[in-house]
Amino acid sequence: MLPADLASTVARALAEDLGSGDLSAALIPAQRQLQAHIISREAGILCGQPYVNECLRQVDPNITIHWLHSEGSIIEAQQELCRLEGPAAALLTAERTALNFLQTLSGTATLTRRYVEALSGTPTQLLDTRKTLPGLRMAQKYAVRIGGGRNHRLGLFDGILIKENHIAAIGSITKAIARARALAPVLCKIEVEVETLEQLEEVLAVGVDLILLDNFSIEQLQQAVRRVAGTIPLEASGNVRLETIRTIAETGVDFISVGSLTRNLQSLDLSLRYL
Amino acid sequence: MLPADLASTVARALAEDLGSGDLSAALIPAQRQLQAHIISREAGILCGQPYVNECLRQVDPNITIHWLHSEGSIIEAQQELCRLEGPAAALLTAERTALNFLQTLSGTATLTRRYVEALSGTPTQLLDTRKTLPGLRMAQKYAVRIGGGRNHRLGLFDGILIKENHIAAIGSITKAIARARALAPVLCKIEVEVETLEQLEEVLAVGVDLILLDNFSIEQLQQAVRRVAGTIPLEASGNVRLETIRTIAETGVDFISVGSLTRNLQSLDLSLRYL
Amino acid sequence: MLPADLASTVARALAEDLGSGDLSAALIPAQRQLQAHIISREAGILCGQPYVNECLRQVDPNITIHWLHSEGSIIEAQQELCRLEGPAAALLTAERTALNFLQTLSGTATLTRRYVEALSGTPTQLLDTRKTLPGLRMAQKYAVRIGGGRNHRLGLFDGILIKENHIAAIGSITKAIARARALAPVLCKIEVEVETLEQLEEVLAVGVDLILLDNFSIEQLQQAVRRVAGTIPLEASGNVRLETIRTIAETGVDFISVGSLTRNLQSLDLSLRYL
Amino acid sequence: MLPADLASTVARALAEDLGSGDLSAALIPAQRQLQAHIISREAGILCGQPYVNECLRQVDPNITIHWLHSEGSIIEAQQELCRLEGPAAALLTAERTALNFLQTLSGTATLTRRYVEALSGTPTQLLDTRKTLPGLRMAQKYAVRIGGGRNHRLGLFDGILIKENHIAAIGSITKAIARARALAPVLCKIEVEVETLEQLEEVLAVGVDLILLDNFSIEQLQQAVRRVAGTIPLEASGNVRLETIRTIAETGVDFISVGSLTRNLQSLDLSLRYL
Amino acid sequence: MLPADLASTVARALAEDLGSGDLSAALIPAQRQLQAHIISREAGILCGQPYVNECLRQVDPNITIHWLHSEGSIIEAQQELCRLEGPAAALLTAERTALNFLQTLSGTATLTRRYVEALSGTPTQLLDTRKTLPGLRMAQKYAVRIGGGRNHRLGLFDGILIKENHIAAIGSITKAIARARALAPVLCKIEVEVETLEQLEEVLAVGVDLILLDNFSIEQLQQAVRRVAGTIPLEASGNVRLETIRTIAETGVDFISVGSLTRNLQSLDLSLRYL
Amino acid sequence: MLPADLASTVARALAEDLGSGDLSAALIPAQRQLQAHIISREAGILCGQPYVNECLRQVDPNITIHWLHSEGSIIEAQQELCRLEGPAAALLTAERTALNFLQTLSGTATLTRRYVEALSGTPTQLLDTRKTLPGLRMAQKYAVRIGGGRNHRLGLFDGILIKENHIAAIGSITKAIARARALAPVLCKIEVEVETLEQLEEVLAVGVDLILLDNFSIEQLQQAVRRVAGTIPLEASGNVRLETIRTIAETGVDFISVGSLTRNLQSLDLSLRYL
C-alpha cells in the first residue's frame, strides 16, 4: 500500500529545498537536456521508487525515469539502479531531494531486511513502532514493509495500545480494557502492555487481542509464552538488537518490535551521475 | 534562528501520528491530570526544546513544561531534562511526537559536536550539506547550529553552488561564473565545485566567492591551499569521517562539509516517565 | 473522542458561508452587544456542542456560551439549550453555521438513540457504516457515539473489510484472508462479508476476526448464528429499519449495521432567539 | 454553474475516508481491472455527475466512466446510470465516496423537483436557504438548481438580508436600509425580513429590492400581496411543506423559500455492482 | 467590513519575506526590546491599520501598537501615526511587511479620496472595478471604502455584469438577460454593458437592474440620462481621470467607475523610526 | 528563474476573483468557443507571460495561447501581443486575472527598463528593494529581472543587511558584523548600512561583503568611493529618481537601489478583444 500522504510528503521536501527558487539551475539554458543514472555505492535493499518518481513528476513531468531493478530488490554495490532523462535544469533541481528519499528509505528497508533475516526459520514476525522521524512516519512504515517487516499500527488512530500510563490514569487494567471494548471501533484491536507476570495474569483474566511484554528477560518471556499457551498473541519489545533478536524469537513470542528500525538511520550510499 | 517552518513541521508530525484521533487516550477520563519528566538514557547534546514546546502547545495549551537544562547543553546519562504537567490524555497523545523530535535533533546535535571537537584548535569550520531527511531540512540545520556547526546554505534558494553538471550544461567554468555574476541576487555568494587542480586554475582565473574541493586527496588539498594562498576561502568535501576530519583540517582548508551529519541518524536515547 | 478534524471542519463550514465577508453583519455598529439563546423546537438528543463552541471561537473569541444541558442529554421541545453573549455582528455571522452543526448532529444522535432503544435488553450492538455525508464523516461518527451507537470503522484506513468484489479481484476468500493476514498492521482486525451460508463455511475454514452477513434472511441469520456458535462475532447488515432491527437482533447476531443512520438526515429543529 | 469548490470538496471527502490509505484495496494485485455500473434502486432525479467524475479522477485518472443519462434526468428504479472501468483497487477505493456524493445530491435534487412540481402552473419560484449541511453548501445549492429550484443567495457574501436581529442591533428598519444602501456593493440586492404587516409598511416607506414575509398566515400573505401590488417582489418563508406550498403560492407571492430542502436529506438509493 | 481573507493575505506577505527565516534579526539578542513609531512623509488618508495589527500579531503577539489617528483619517506630512513596542528582533522582522501594507493601502485610499472630492456636491457615486493587483483584491476594495468610494462588486461571484462578449457568446442582449434572470441567485443584481445608444434601447426594452455605459462621450451620456429618465441607475466607465470625472458626473449618471483607482498605485510615503 | 510560488500566486488571484463561481460566465452555453487577442494600448516592456499561461491553464487547460512577442520584448502601442482560443465561458472567467498580471508586471518591467537606460554606459547596476506589493514580491522581483534590473535579495532569508536598528540593538557595527560572520550560512553575503562617513570607517576596519550608503549626498558618495577605492562594492540608496540616478551613478558606486520601482505602479495599458 502506497502511503496516502506520498505526494504531500514529496511536495514538502521539495519546498524546503527549493524555497523561492533554484538559483544555480537558473543559470542553465532552458533547452539543455541531460541523461543521468543512479548508482549504488554499497549493497542493500532498494526502496523509495514511488517517492523518486513523484519527486521528478512534481519538478517537471518531462523528466523520464527507467528503473532497472524493482522496488524491494537486493542491490549490490556499483549497480546501476535507474536511468533518467530530461531538461537539465529540472534534473539538477530534483536530484538532491530524489536521492534523499531513495537513500533514506533504502536505508530503513535494508536494516529491516537484516532483522528479518535474523528471524528466518522462526514463525516470529518483526514489527515496527511509532518511534519514527517526524514527518516521515508513513514513508518509513512503507520502507519497513518493503524490507519484509510488518507494521504494528500506523499511528494513534488505527489500534489501541494500553500502556502503563493509560492504566494508571484509568485506574486498573481491567477497567481500561472494559472501556476500550465499549468505545473502540469494532475493527480495531486492543493490546495491553505489561511489565510483570502479575500484570500478565490480570490481562489474561479479562482477555484482549494482543499482549505486549515490555522489557521482559528471556526467562520471563519463556514463562509468559508457556502461561499464555497460544491463546493470545504475544509481542516482545525493549532494547532489541540484531544480536539478540533470534534468542528472543526462540522463546516463542509471536511478534518482536524494534524501535531502532525507524528511530536511527544509516542511509544507503547512492550517487547520481550524468552521462 | 528558529526555523520559520517550525510550527508546520510540528503540525505535520502530529497529524501523521494522530490521524482521525487518538483511540487510546480517548479512554482516559477528561479531568485526569499527570506529571511526567524526560530522562536521558545516554550522554549527548540537548536539542529540540522549541519543537517539544510547540508540540505540547498544539496538542493542548494547558500542558506546562519546565526545562532543567538549556538548549545546547551537554547532558549526561540519567539526567532529568524537563518536567511536564497537564491533562493526562493530552500528555499521552503528545508524548511520542515530542520525544521523536527531541531524540532526533539531539542525535544530530550530538554528532555535530563530536566533529566540532575533532576540529578544536584549528581555524577550520564544520559545514553541513543538503543531504538531509526529507521534510526535516530546517530542523536538522538548526540542530547543526546548536551542535556548534555552521550551515553551508539552507537550500537551493540562498546560495549558488556551481557543480560539475551545471558546468557541463552551461559549457565552461568561466561561462557559468559569468552567468552567475549577472543573474544572482547581489547578497548571494557564488561557489564553484572543482575536482582537479586544473579546474581550480580555471576558477582562479575568473574569481568566485568560495571554492569547493571535492574528493581531493590530502596532498591535493595541500597543493590547493598553497596555490590559493588565502585569496579565496576553500571548502573540502567527500567522505569525511570523524577519524579523518582533523587531518583534512590541517591542510589549511577553511571549511569541511560532512554529509553524514544529517543523512544518517543515531538518535539520542530518551525516556518520558510519569511521576 | 473528539474528531481530530473538528477545527478544520468548522473552518470549512464558516468559509463557505462567509466567503469574502458578511455583508449584512457589516451594517451593525462595532460596539453593539447581544444576548441570545438556543431553543429546541422538538424532542431529541443534544449533540454538537464542541462544534458550536469551535464555531463561535473561530468567528470571535469574545463570544461566550453557557450550556444548560450536557452533550448527549435527552431534550424536550421548547427547552433552552444554551445562552450566548457577545458582539452583535459576530453572533449574527456565526449563528447559522453553529445551528447547522447542532441541528445536523443532534438529528443523527437522535435517530441513533431510537435504534439503540429498539435493541435495549439484547446484547446486540448498533453499528454505523461508511455511507455518510461527504465531508462530515468524523462528525457523524461522533454523533453516532453520542447517540449510543458504536463505530464500525472510521474509514478505509483503520480496519479491513473484504467484500465480494475484493474477493473476486483476489481470487478466493481463502486467498484474500491470507493476504490480509500477511499485510495488515497487527492491530487491525479483518472482517469478511458473505452473502450465502456456503461462503460462511469457506470463511470458517480459515478464520477471521469478524464476519458480515449481508442481506441474510432471518432464517439464514439463525442458521449462521447456530453454525458459528460464538466462535467468531457476527454482524448483520442490509436494509435494516427501526421496525425490523429487534427481530434481527433476536437471531443472536453480535452487531447490526445501519446505513440510513448516516446517509439520511432528519435534522433536529432548533431556533436561536435574541433576548 | 459548477461550484468553484468542487475539487476541494471531493478531496476532503476522499481524505476523510482514505486517511493513511485503503488497507483492503491494498490486498488486490496491481494489474487487476474491473468493470462496474451504478444502478438506481428507486426513482428520482440524477444529480452529482461532476462530483463522481472528479472523485474518480482524483483516485486514479485511469478510471473511465460513461454516463447513460444526463445530469438532471428523471430516473426510474433499476436503471443503469453509468458504466465504469479501471484498476480494481482504485475503483474499490473510490466507490463509496463517489456513491455518497451521488446519493446525497440526487436526494436533494429529487426533493427539490417535488416542490417545483407542486408549484407548476404558478409563477411562484422555489428558493433554498442557508440551512445546509456543513461543508456541502455549494454542492447542495447546485443540486437545488439541478432539481429546478433557484438559489436565494449562496452565503453571507453575495446578498444582504436584514433580519429582525440586524434591525434590533442597528435601531430601526429605516436606519438599517439606509446603511445597507450606503455600504453594499452596487450589484448586491437588499432584502428585509418582516414579521408583521406594520413592519411591511415601514419597509415600503423606504423601499428595498425584496421583502421576506416570515411566518405569515395565508390571510396575511394575501393582504401583503394586495398591499404591495407588484411594486416589490415578495418572498414567503416559514415551515413550508409539500402539502402547503401550492396554497401559499396561490396568494401571489413571487418566491417561497424552503429550509427542509437542504437541512434534511433522504438520499437516493443507489448501488454499484461489479460486472 | 473587514475582508475575510485578511489573515491569510498577511500570512502570505510575511511568508514571502521571511522564507526560511530572518537571517539579520537572528543576530539580535533575544531579550532586547525596542520602541518605534511610524511617521508620515507626505499628506494622505491613513488606511491599513487592521493589516498592520495582524502582521505584528502574527510575527509576535508581544508587540504592542498604539494608533494616534483612526483608520480613514486625513494625515499631514510629518505626523506620528502610531507607536510600537516589543522584542527588537520581532519588530525588525515585521517592519517591512507592515509598512508595505500601510503605504499600499493608504496610497489607494488617498487616491480614492481625491476622486470622491472631485465629485463632491453631486449625487454621483465613485465605484471601483476588478482591475486590481493580483492577490490584493479584497484589501484594495477595503481601501476604496475607507477612502470614501463604493465597491462595484467584489468579484465574479457577487453580481452579474453582462459584457459585449457574453452577449456575443449567448446570442443577443435579450437572450442574455433572460438567462441571467432565470439562473442568478435572487439577491444578485444584473447589469448590462452597452456601447451605443442602440444597445441601450435593446436593454430598456427588457429591463435590468443597472446599465453600464462604456466609453460614451459626454453628449452620449447626456442623451442616455435623458432617455432613461431615472428608471434604471446608470454607470459610466472608460478612461475616467481626476480632471474629467466631474464633467462626467454632471451628465447625471448615478455611478462612475474608475479602473486606475486600483490598477495603478502611488504608495503613501511612510517611515518607521526607532526611538 | 521563474518564481517557485508562481502557481500559488496565480491560484490565489483567481480564487479572490472567482469566489464561489463566475455567475456571468455561467450564462454562456458550454460548447461555445471564442478567439481573442491582447493588444497593447501603450508602449513598454512585455512581462508576465508565465503568469498568464498559468492562469489560463488553471481555469481551463483547453485554452490555447500563442505569443507573438517574447517575454521582455519592447512593445509599441497597438501591437497584438498574443492570440487566445478556447471555451468562451472559461476565457471570460480567466480574462481579468490574466490581464491584471500582465499589466502589473509589464508596468514594473517598463519602469525598470527606464532606470536601466538612464544608467546605460556606466558600470553601475540597478537594484530593487523589499518595498513591494504584499503577496507579489517574487512576481515583482521577476519583473525587475525581465526589465534588466538586478535583485538585491529576495527577502529576509537570503542575505544579511545590517541596518541602523540592528546595530543599535546589538551594540556596535563591529559586534554586529562579528555575529553575522559567526552565524550566517557560508554562502550568504553580509552588507552593512551606513549613514555617515564615520560609520563607513568603522565598517572598513572590520570588512564586509557590501556597504550600503544610505541617503548620502553626491559629495559624500564621491568621498566614500574614493575612500573605499574598489576594495568593497558600494550601494547607494535613498530617494533615487529617474532624473537623479545618472548623477549618482557617476560618483562611481557599484549599485543603486530604487524603492519606487516596486512600491509604486503604473500598470501597462492592455486590452483583450474578442475576434
Side-chain angles (χ1 to χ4, degrees), chain F residues 155-173:
Chain F
L156 295 164
F157 56 88
D158 65 336
I160 290 187
L161 174 50
I162 300 172
K163 298 192 184 184
E164 191 189 5
N165 297 301
H166 294 92
I167 297 165
I170 298 168
S172 72
I173 286 182

Side-chain angles (χ1 to χ4, degrees), chain B residues 11-32:
Chain B
R12 185 172 163 86
L14 282 169
E16 70 183 3
D17 196 25
L18 280 166
S20 46
D22 182 347
L23 295 171
S24 310
L27 308 175
I28 296 173
Q31 74 289 358
R32 209 57 50 88

Side-chain angles (χ1 to χ4, degrees), chain A residues 82-118:
Chain A
C82 63
R83 293 189 159 246
L84 302 126
E85 184 162 2
L91 265 175
L92 284 160
T93 297
E95 166 185 342
R96 186 71 262 146
T97 301
L99 280 176
N100 284 349
F101 273 110
L102 200 63
Q103 67 192 20
T104 296
L105 300 185
S106 294
T108 297
T110 301
L111 183 60
T112 302
R113 181 64 58 91
R114 279 198 204 110
Y115 275 97
V116 168
E117 282 166 2

Side-chain angles (χ1 to χ4, degrees), chain A residues 14 21 30 32 42 68 77 92 104 111 122 127 159 161 184 188 205 273:
Chain A
L14 282 169
R32 209 56 51 90
E42 59 178 325
L68 303 170
L92 284 160
T104 296
L111 183 60
T122 78
L127 298 185
L161 173 50
C188 168
R273 294 183 201 148

Side-chain angles (χ1 to χ4, degrees), chain A residues 164-175:
Chain A
E164 192 188 6
N165 297 301
H166 293 92
I167 296 165
I170 298 169
S172 72
I173 287 182
T174 311
K175 237 162 127 178

Side-chain angles (χ1 to χ4, degrees), chain A residues 17 25 47 55 71 73 92 101 139 146 199 212 231 252 270:
Chain A
D17 196 26
C47 179
C55 181
E71 184 80 339
S73 300
L92 284 160
F101 273 110
I146 292 295
Q199 289 179 325
L212 172 58
T231 56
L270 304 171

Side-chain angles (χ1 to χ4, degrees), chain C residues 33-37 84 86-96 271-275, chain D residues 164-166 168:
Chain C
Q33 297 286 308
L34 270 184
Q35 286 189 315
H37 56 180
L84 302 126
L91 264 173
L92 284 160
T93 296
E95 167 186 340
R96 186 72 261 145
S271 161
L272 186 146
R273 294 181 202 149
Y274 290 88
L275 302 170
Chain D
E164 191 189 4
N165 297 302
H166 294 92

Side-chain angles (χ1 to χ4, degrees), chain A residues 225-254:
Chain A
V225 169
R226 270 198 305 274
R227 172 63 186 87
V228 175
T231 56
I232 296 178
L234 295 177
E235 172 186 355
S237 81
N239 256 320
V240 181
R241 282 168 296 115
L242 257 180
E243 302 77 41
T244 60
I245 194 168
R246 191 168 187 96
T247 312
I248 297 170
E250 286 167 350
T251 63
V253 293
D254 302 275

